[in-house]
Amino acid sequence: MTDSVVKVSDDKAVTLATGFVVDKDESGVYIATCGHVINRLKSGFTVNELPAELVANEYENGLDLALLYARGLRLEPLMLTKAPPAKYVSVIGYSLLSGVAKRETYSGIRAKSDIKLKNEFNALKLYPSESISAGHSGSPVICETSGRVVGIITIQTGDDRNYAICAEHLEVLHDVAFDESSIENPALKGELMEIIGPEKYNEWSDQLNGFFIDSLQSFTTQKNVWVEPRLHSIPEDQCRTYEEDNRVSVDSLIRRPRSLIVQARQQFGLSCLARNMVERA
């Protein structure tokens, strides 16, 4: 998922911002970002250092959103939703560290919906525990329950007050797809307990945990110590270093189930990972 959050800059790498993939075709990808970001880029647009072209900018119409097209970039679109987020969201974007652009994630941010900006567009108000770094304009706001994009960071009014335009407004820029299928139903646990009974539910939970503990005990040195592995979207032999750009979180796999293969050498803990994911799911 984080691969689809991209660095937006000018061709002189003077201004830094963030964007994310909302659609793709056979030749490239469409990148959503903020309109004020585009207005600051005076010498052309780049996405991950590749030239990009401007498709739309609604800033002058009061909507701080813009769309770029990057030819030759191969990335998957993030899933979007018009639904309000659950209580907490994450923000993924770029910031400068010693003059170098680094991807940074802010998690566990409390979000409040039903907010109107002065131009009457629907927005989210965010309450981060730390100030979101400069460069995150255009960053996706991702619901930590569903894993879907619910908004786009647009305005900072202080260290602890941040606003995001709701993702529903992206359809003004492009014919984007919104996925409203249910990933997590808060009532599911209660429904399952009602069907099979609390006793059977707890029995199965204990059984799944037992499978996981049994796997951990196959390691003779540090039994019952679980360190979540670092997963990446590209094979080890195809990159020089494993950086955050190709990191895949285990939580994102659990929240958005799909068919995939996790590959590793033998005795690298794949059984432990699988049983840990089953128990958490």
Tab-separated table of all heavy atoms in Angstrom, residues 183-230:
chain	number	residue	atom	x	y	z
A	183	ILE	N	-15.329	-4.334	5.121
A	183	ILE	CA	-14.144	-5.113	5.461
A	183	ILE	C	-14.236	-5.599	6.903
A	183	ILE	O	-13.996	-6.753	7.209
A	183	ILE	CB	-12.872	-4.261	5.281
A	183	ILE	CG1	-12.644	-3.997	3.803
A	183	ILE	CG2	-11.649	-4.970	5.860
A	183	ILE	CD1	-12.335	-5.219	2.983
A	184	GLU	N	-14.590	-4.700	7.791
A	184	GLU	CA	-14.689	-5.069	9.196
A	184	GLU	C	-16.034	-4.600	9.738
A	184	GLU	O	-16.376	-3.431	9.641
A	184	GLU	CB	-13.555	-4.431	10.010
A	184	GLU	CG	-12.197	-5.024	9.688
A	184	GLU	CD	-11.143	-4.540	10.652
A	184	GLU	OE1	-11.517	-3.921	11.665
A	184	GLU	OE2	-9.968	-4.778	10.403
A	185	ASN	N	-16.786	-5.510	10.282
A	185	ASN	CA	-18.073	-5.186	10.875
A	185	ASN	C	-17.913	-5.186	12.390
A	185	ASN	O	-17.609	-6.226	12.979
A	185	ASN	CB	-19.108	-6.237	10.451
A	185	ASN	CG	-20.498	-5.894	10.962
A	185	ASN	OD1	-20.658	-5.060	11.834
A	185	ASN	ND2	-21.498	-6.566	10.410
A	186	PRO	N	-18.060	-4.038	13.049
A	186	PRO	CA	-17.869	-4.001	14.498
A	186	PRO	C	-18.759	-4.979	15.248
A	186	PRO	O	-18.428	-5.389	16.358
A	186	PRO	CB	-18.231	-2.550	14.856
A	186	PRO	CG	-18.054	-1.789	13.591
A	186	PRO	CD	-18.426	-2.740	12.492
A	187	ALA	N	-19.899	-5.351	14.634
A	187	ALA	CA	-20.812	-6.259	15.319
A	187	ALA	C	-20.495	-7.723	15.044
A	187	ALA	O	-21.158	-8.616	15.564
A	187	ALA	CB	-22.253	-5.974	14.879
A	188	LEU	N	-19.470	-7.976	14.207
A	188	LEU	CA	-19.215	-9.347	13.787
A	188	LEU	C	-18.879	-10.250	14.964
A	188	LEU	O	-19.371	-11.378	15.063
A	188	LEU	CB	-18.074	-9.361	12.768
A	188	LEU	CG	-17.755	-10.721	12.137
A	188	LEU	CD1	-18.977	-11.272	11.428
A	188	LEU	CD2	-16.590	-10.607	11.172
A	189	LYS	N	-18.032	-9.762	15.881
A	189	LYS	CA	-17.665	-10.575	17.029
A	189	LYS	C	-18.900	-10.921	17.853
A	189	LYS	O	-19.096	-12.075	18.246
A	189	LYS	CB	-16.635	-9.841	17.898
A	189	LYS	CG	-16.263	-10.600	19.162
A	189	LYS	CD	-15.212	-9.848	19.962
A	189	LYS	CE	-14.897	-10.585	21.258
A	189	LYS	NZ	-13.870	-9.872	22.055
A	190	GLY	N	-19.759	-9.917	18.090
A	190	GLY	CA	-20.972	-10.168	18.855
A	190	GLY	C	-21.894	-11.151	18.152
A	190	GLY	O	-22.492	-12.018	18.791
A	191	GLU	N	-22.022	-11.013	16.812
A	191	GLU	CA	-22.869	-11.932	16.049
A	191	GLU	C	-22.331	-13.352	16.119
A	191	GLU	O	-23.090	-14.314	16.270
A	191	GLU	CB	-22.960	-11.463	14.602
A	191	GLU	CG	-23.716	-10.149	14.437
A	191	GLU	CD	-23.675	-9.655	13.010
A	191	GLU	OE1	-23.046	-10.325	12.178
A	191	GLU	OE2	-24.261	-8.594	12.736
A	192	LEU	N	-20.995	-13.484	15.989
A	192	LEU	CA	-20.403	-14.812	16.035
A	192	LEU	C	-20.582	-15.446	17.410
A	192	LEU	O	-20.903	-16.639	17.528
A	192	LEU	CB	-18.914	-14.726	15.684
A	192	LEU	CG	-18.163	-16.052	15.558
A	192	LEU	CD1	-18.822	-16.953	14.523
A	192	LEU	CD2	-16.705	-15.807	15.203
A	193	MET	N	-20.409	-14.651	18.458
A	193	MET	CA	-20.606	-15.176	19.809
A	193	MET	C	-22.060	-15.597	20.022
A	193	MET	O	-22.338	-16.579	20.714
A	193	MET	CB	-20.191	-14.138	20.851
A	193	MET	CG	-18.697	-13.883	20.907
A	193	MET	SD	-18.210	-12.732	22.214
A	193	MET	CE	-18.534	-13.712	23.670
A	194	GLU	N	-22.984	-14.841	19.413
A	194	GLU	CA	-24.404	-15.174	19.556
A	194	GLU	C	-24.725	-16.485	18.847
A	194	GLU	O	-25.526	-17.287	19.329
A	194	GLU	CB	-25.254	-14.046	18.988
A	194	GLU	CG	-26.757	-14.250	19.179
A	194	GLU	CD	-27.552	-13.063	18.687
A	194	GLU	OE1	-26.952	-11.994	18.477
A	194	GLU	OE2	-28.760	-13.215	18.515
A	195	ILE	N	-24.070	-16.713	17.692
A	195	ILE	CA	-24.346	-17.920	16.916
A	195	ILE	C	-23.768	-19.156	17.591
A	195	ILE	O	-24.447	-20.187	17.733
A	195	ILE	CB	-23.783	-17.770	15.491
A	195	ILE	CG1	-24.541	-16.669	14.741
A	195	ILE	CG2	-23.860	-19.087	14.724
A	195	ILE	CD1	-23.929	-16.302	13.415
A	196	ILE	N	-22.498	-19.077	17.991
A	196	ILE	CA	-21.827	-20.272	18.520
A	196	ILE	C	-21.744	-20.277	20.039
A	196	ILE	O	-21.397	-21.307	20.633
A	196	ILE	CB	-20.415	-20.412	17.933
A	196	ILE	CG1	-19.516	-19.272	18.420
A	196	ILE	CG2	-20.455	-20.463	16.415
A	196	ILE	CD1	-18.066	-19.412	17.979
A	197	GLY	N	-22.047	-19.132	20.662
A	197	GLY	CA	-21.990	-19.051	22.111
A	197	GLY	C	-20.633	-18.592	22.599
A	197	GLY	O	-19.606	-18.905	21.987
A	198	PRO	N	-20.595	-17.830	23.687
A	198	PRO	CA	-19.330	-17.316	24.232
A	198	PRO	C	-18.339	-18.422	24.573
A	198	PRO	O	-17.132	-18.254	24.384
A	198	PRO	CB	-19.766	-16.552	25.487
A	198	PRO	CG	-21.207	-16.224	25.263
A	198	PRO	CD	-21.754	-17.363	24.449
A	199	GLU	N	-18.836	-19.556	25.057
A	199	GLU	CA	-17.931	-20.630	25.462
A	199	GLU	C	-17.164	-21.187	24.261
A	199	GLU	O	-15.936	-21.364	24.305
A	199	GLU	CB	-18.730	-21.753	26.136
A	199	GLU	CG	-17.840	-22.873	26.676
A	199	GLU	CD	-18.642	-23.919	27.424
A	199	GLU	OE1	-19.797	-23.621	27.813
A	199	GLU	OE2	-18.113	-25.022	27.641
A	200	LYS	N	-17.891	-21.443	23.160
A	200	LYS	CA	-17.235	-21.974	21.965
A	200	LYS	C	-16.323	-20.918	21.343
A	200	LYS	O	-15.236	-21.230	20.846
A	200	LYS	CB	-18.301	-22.427	20.961
A	200	LYS	CG	-17.744	-23.009	19.679
A	200	LYS	CD	-16.924	-24.275	19.940
A	200	LYS	CE	-17.823	-25.421	20.373
A	200	LYS	NZ	-17.050	-26.680	20.487
A	201	TYR	N	-16.776	-19.654	21.370
A	201	TYR	CA	-15.957	-18.570	20.820
A	201	TYR	C	-14.623	-18.503	21.554
A	201	TYR	O	-13.551	-18.429	20.923
A	201	TYR	CB	-16.701	-17.243	20.946
A	201	TYR	CG	-15.955	-16.060	20.350
A	201	TYR	CD1	-16.190	-15.647	19.040
A	201	TYR	CD2	-15.007	-15.361	21.097
A	201	TYR	CE1	-15.509	-14.577	18.494
A	201	TYR	CE2	-14.329	-14.291	20.559
A	201	TYR	CZ	-14.577	-13.901	19.252
A	201	TYR	OH	-13.886	-12.847	18.728
A	202	ASN	N	-14.647	-18.512	22.865
A	202	ASN	CA	-13.416	-18.443	23.647
A	202	ASN	C	-12.555	-19.681	23.432
A	202	ASN	O	-11.321	-19.593	23.414
A	202	ASN	CB	-13.746	-18.282	25.132
A	202	ASN	CG	-14.375	-16.929	25.437
A	202	ASN	OD1	-14.104	-15.947	24.762
A	202	ASN	ND2	-15.233	-16.887	26.449
A	203	GLU	N	-13.215	-20.835	23.258
A	203	GLU	CA	-12.471	-22.073	23.011
A	203	GLU	C	-11.685	-21.977	21.700
A	203	GLU	O	-10.510	-22.339	21.636
A	203	GLU	CB	-13.436	-23.267	22.949
A	203	GLU	CG	-12.760	-24.593	22.633
A	203	GLU	CD	-13.773	-25.705	22.433
A	203	GLU	OE1	-14.900	-25.582	22.953
A	203	GLU	OE2	-13.447	-26.687	21.723
A	204	TRP	N	-12.354	-21.467	20.666
A	204	TRP	CA	-11.673	-21.334	19.371
A	204	TRP	C	-10.566	-20.286	19.431
A	204	TRP	O	-9.505	-20.451	18.826
A	204	TRP	CB	-12.690	-20.973	18.291
A	204	TRP	CG	-13.606	-22.112	17.951
A	204	TRP	CD1	-13.554	-23.393	18.421
A	204	TRP	CD2	-14.740	-22.059	17.080
A	204	TRP	NE1	-14.563	-24.149	17.905
A	204	TRP	CE2	-15.309	-23.361	17.069
A	204	TRP	CE3	-15.334	-21.070	16.322
A	204	TRP	CZ2	-16.441	-23.667	16.322
A	204	TRP	CZ3	-16.448	-21.377	15.568
A	204	TRP	CH2	-17.002	-22.662	15.566
A	205	SER	N	-10.808	-19.202	20.159
A	205	SER	CA	-9.767	-18.176	20.304
A	205	SER	C	-8.536	-18.759	20.987
A	205	SER	O	-7.392	-18.513	20.564
A	205	SER	CB	-10.297	-16.988	21.105
A	205	SER	OG	-11.344	-16.333	20.427
A	206	ASP	N	-8.768	-19.517	22.044
A	206	ASP	CA	-7.650	-20.150	22.753
A	206	ASP	C	-6.923	-21.144	21.850
A	206	ASP	O	-5.693	-21.276	21.908
A	206	ASP	CB	-8.155	-20.867	24.009
A	206	ASP	CG	-8.629	-19.886	25.077
A	206	ASP	OD1	-8.267	-18.691	24.987
A	206	ASP	OD2	-9.374	-20.306	25.979
A	207	GLN	N	-7.689	-21.842	21.012
A	207	GLN	CA	-7.076	-22.817	20.110
A	207	GLN	C	-6.163	-22.137	19.088
A	207	GLN	O	-5.038	-22.592	18.835
A	207	GLN	CB	-8.158	-23.630	19.407
A	207	GLN	CG	-7.626	-24.807	18.613
A	207	GLN	CD	-8.754	-25.619	18.002
A	207	GLN	OE1	-9.679	-25.065	17.429
A	207	GLN	NE2	-8.677	-26.945	18.140
A	208	LEU	N	-6.635	-21.034	18.517
A	208	LEU	CA	-5.815	-20.306	17.544
A	208	LEU	C	-4.561	-19.749	18.205
A	208	LEU	O	-3.477	-19.770	17.622
A	208	LEU	CB	-6.628	-19.179	16.916
A	208	LEU	CG	-7.766	-19.595	15.994
A	208	LEU	CD1	-8.556	-18.375	15.535
A	208	LEU	CD2	-7.236	-20.358	14.787
A	209	ASN	N	-4.705	-19.242	19.421
A	209	ASN	CA	-3.539	-18.754	20.146
A	209	ASN	C	-2.578	-19.888	20.452
A	209	ASN	O	-1.351	-19.717	20.379
A	209	ASN	CB	-3.987	-18.070	21.434
A	209	ASN	CG	-2.801	-17.528	22.230
A	209	ASN	OD1	-2.400	-18.107	23.231
A	209	ASN	ND2	-2.251	-16.410	21.783
A	210	GLY	N	-3.117	-21.058	20.748
A	210	GLY	CA	-2.265	-22.219	21.015
A	210	GLY	C	-1.452	-22.629	19.801
A	210	GLY	O	-0.265	-22.977	19.917
A	211	PHE	N	-2.079	-22.597	18.624
A	211	PHE	CA	-1.345	-22.896	17.392
A	211	PHE	C	-0.163	-21.940	17.217
A	211	PHE	O	0.938	-22.337	16.816
A	211	PHE	CB	-2.266	-22.787	16.177
A	211	PHE	CG	-3.318	-23.853	16.103
A	211	PHE	CD1	-4.504	-23.631	15.424
A	211	PHE	CD2	-3.145	-25.088	16.727
A	211	PHE	CE1	-5.480	-24.611	15.348
A	211	PHE	CE2	-4.117	-26.069	16.663
A	211	PHE	CZ	-5.290	-25.831	15.976
A	212	PHE	N	-0.417	-20.666	17.500
A	212	PHE	CA	0.621	-19.653	17.348
A	212	PHE	C	1.760	-19.896	18.342
A	212	PHE	O	2.948	-19.874	17.976
A	212	PHE	CB	0.016	-18.268	17.540
A	212	PHE	CG	1.008	-17.145	17.577
A	212	PHE	CD1	1.932	-16.975	16.550
A	212	PHE	CD2	1.019	-16.243	18.625
A	212	PHE	CE1	2.853	-15.929	16.581
A	212	PHE	CE2	1.929	-15.207	18.657
A	212	PHE	CZ	2.853	-15.047	17.638
A	213	ILE	N	1.418	-20.173	19.606
A	213	ILE	CA	2.440	-20.416	20.626
A	213	ILE	C	3.259	-21.656	20.274
A	213	ILE	O	4.487	-21.690	20.453
A	213	ILE	CB	1.798	-20.562	22.012
A	213	ILE	CG1	1.114	-19.240	22.420
A	213	ILE	CG2	2.840	-20.966	23.054
A	213	ILE	CD1	2.041	-18.060	22.479
A	214	ASP	N	2.588	-22.689	19.746
A	214	ASP	CA	3.311	-23.901	19.345
A	214	ASP	C	4.361	-23.591	18.292
A	214	ASP	O	5.467	-24.144	18.306
A	214	ASP	CB	2.339	-24.952	18.810
A	214	ASP	CG	1.514	-25.594	19.919
A	214	ASP	OD1	1.893	-25.437	21.098
A	214	ASP	OD2	0.495	-26.228	19.607
A	215	SER	N	4.012	-22.712	17.355
A	215	SER	CA	4.975	-22.339	16.319
A	215	SER	C	6.166	-21.590	16.911
A	215	SER	O	7.317	-21.828	16.527
A	215	SER	CB	4.306	-21.458	15.260
A	215	SER	OG	3.327	-22.177	14.550
A	216	LEU	N	5.897	-20.691	17.854
A	216	LEU	CA	6.990	-19.953	18.486
A	216	LEU	C	7.945	-20.885	19.223
A	216	LEU	O	9.151	-20.630	19.285
A	216	LEU	CB	6.429	-18.918	19.470
A	216	LEU	CG	5.773	-17.666	18.886
A	216	LEU	CD1	5.259	-16.781	20.010
A	216	LEU	CD2	6.738	-16.892	18.012
A	217	GLN	N	7.432	-21.980	19.765
A	217	GLN	CA	8.265	-22.878	20.551
A	217	GLN	C	9.227	-23.699	19.695
A	217	GLN	O	10.090	-24.392	20.225
A	217	GLN	CB	7.378	-23.807	21.384
A	217	GLN	CG	6.669	-23.071	22.515
A	217	GLN	CD	5.741	-23.961	23.315
A	217	GLN	OE1	5.417	-25.066	22.893
A	217	GLN	NE2	5.312	-23.494	24.468
A	218	SER	N	9.091	-23.607	18.379
A	218	SER	CA	10.040	-24.298	17.508
A	218	SER	C	11.389	-23.584	17.480
A	218	SER	O	12.377	-24.140	17.018
A	218	SER	CB	9.493	-24.410	16.087
A	218	SER	OG	9.324	-23.117	15.516
A	219	PHE	N	11.414	-22.331	17.969
A	219	PHE	CA	12.678	-21.614	18.083
A	219	PHE	C	13.255	-21.888	19.465
A	219	PHE	O	12.650	-21.553	20.482
A	219	PHE	CB	12.457	-20.110	17.892
A	219	PHE	CG	11.992	-19.745	16.515
A	219	PHE	CD1	10.638	-19.654	16.210
A	219	PHE	CD2	12.915	-19.516	15.498
A	219	PHE	CE1	10.211	-19.332	14.933
A	219	PHE	CE2	12.499	-19.196	14.216
A	219	PHE	CZ	11.151	-19.108	13.932
A	220	THR	N	14.427	-22.505	19.504
A	220	THR	CA	14.968	-22.997	20.777
A	220	THR	C	15.621	-21.913	21.615
A	220	THR	O	15.875	-22.114	22.790
A	220	THR	CB	16.017	-24.089	20.498
A	220	THR	OG1	17.045	-23.539	19.655
A	220	THR	CG2	15.381	-25.275	19.789
A	221	THR	N	15.902	-20.758	21.004
A	221	THR	CA	16.656	-19.738	21.748
A	221	THR	C	15.753	-18.781	22.504
A	221	THR	O	15.963	-18.519	23.683
A	221	THR	CB	17.560	-18.937	20.791
A	221	THR	OG1	16.759	-18.421	19.723
A	221	THR	CG2	18.648	-19.841	20.212
A	222	GLN	N	14.735	-18.238	21.836
A	222	GLN	CA	13.863	-17.240	22.464
A	222	GLN	C	12.412	-17.684	22.320
A	222	GLN	O	11.682	-17.189	21.466
A	222	GLN	CB	14.066	-15.867	21.827
A	222	GLN	CG	15.432	-15.282	22.064
A	222	GLN	CD	15.557	-13.878	21.495
A	222	GLN	OE1	14.696	-13.429	20.764
A	222	GLN	NE2	16.632	-13.202	21.835
A	223	LYS	N	12.001	-18.609	23.116
A	223	LYS	CA	10.643	-19.135	23.027
A	223	LYS	C	9.620	-18.080	23.440
A	223	LYS	O	9.813	-17.322	24.380
A	223	LYS	CB	10.508	-20.362	23.916
A	223	LYS	CG	11.357	-21.546	23.452
A	223	LYS	CD	11.156	-22.756	24.338
A	223	LYS	CE	11.974	-23.931	23.841
A	223	LYS	NZ	11.806	-25.118	24.695
A	224	ASN	N	8.504	-18.081	22.693
A	224	ASN	CA	7.354	-17.230	23.007
A	224	ASN	C	7.657	-15.737	22.927
A	224	ASN	O	6.976	-14.929	23.557
A	224	ASN	CB	6.796	-17.561	24.399
A	224	ASN	CG	6.313	-18.988	24.491
A	224	ASN	OD1	6.247	-19.694	23.494
A	224	ASN	ND2	5.996	-19.429	25.694
A	225	VAL	N	8.682	-15.382	22.161
A	225	VAL	CA	8.964	-13.976	21.900
A	225	VAL	C	8.655	-13.713	20.427
A	225	VAL	O	9.269	-14.287	19.540
A	225	VAL	CB	10.435	-13.624	22.207
A	225	VAL	CG1	10.716	-12.173	21.814
A	225	VAL	CG2	10.728	-13.836	23.682
A	226	TRP	N	7.665	-12.840	20.173
A	226	TRP	CA	7.239	-12.575	18.799
A	226	TRP	C	7.718	-11.196	18.367
A	226	TRP	O	7.390	-10.188	18.974
A	226	TRP	CB	5.711	-12.645	18.698
A	226	TRP	CG	5.156	-12.205	17.373
A	226	TRP	CD1	4.318	-11.155	17.136
A	226	TRP	CD2	5.395	-12.817	16.107
A	226	TRP	NE1	4.027	-11.072	15.806
A	226	TRP	CE2	4.669	-12.071	15.143
A	226	TRP	CE3	6.161	-13.906	15.677
A	226	TRP	CZ2	4.690	-12.386	13.785
A	226	TRP	CZ3	6.167	-14.227	14.331
A	226	TRP	CH2	5.435	-13.477	13.407
A	227	VAL	N	8.532	-11.169	17.324
A	227	VAL	CA	8.981	-9.930	16.701
A	227	VAL	C	8.422	-9.929	15.281
A	227	VAL	O	8.761	-10.786	14.477
A	227	VAL	CB	10.519	-9.827	16.671
A	227	VAL	CG1	10.943	-8.541	15.974
A	227	VAL	CG2	11.084	-9.881	18.080
A	228	GLU	N	7.547	-8.970	14.992
A	228	GLU	CA	6.896	-8.955	13.688
A	228	GLU	C	7.926	-8.778	12.575
A	228	GLU	O	8.761	-7.878	12.639
A	228	GLU	CB	5.863	-7.831	13.633
A	228	GLU	CG	5.019	-7.847	12.377
A	228	GLU	CD	3.815	-6.940	12.493
A	228	GLU	OE1	2.911	-7.274	13.285
A	228	GLU	OE2	3.790	-5.902	11.809
A	229	PRO	N	7.882	-9.626	11.559
A	229	PRO	CA	8.878	-9.542	10.482
A	229	PRO	C	8.661	-8.313	9.607
A	229	PRO	O	7.562	-7.768	9.529
A	229	PRO	CB	8.634	-10.825	9.678
A	229	PRO	CG	7.197	-11.141	9.921
A	229	PRO	CD	6.921	-10.720	11.333
A	230	ARG	N	9.716	-7.905	8.945
A	230	ARG	CA	9.634	-6.795	7.990
A	230	ARG	C	9.317	-7.378	6.617
A	230	ARG	O	10.110	-8.132	6.049
A	230	ARG	CB	10.951	-6.023	7.946
A	230	ARG	CG	11.248	-5.265	9.228
A	230	ARG	CD	12.626	-4.621	9.164
A	230	ARG	NE	12.711	-3.643	8.089
A	230	ARG	CZ	12.411	-2.354	8.224
A	230	ARG	NH1	11.988	-1.902	9.398
A	230	ARG	NH2	12.525	-1.522	7.215
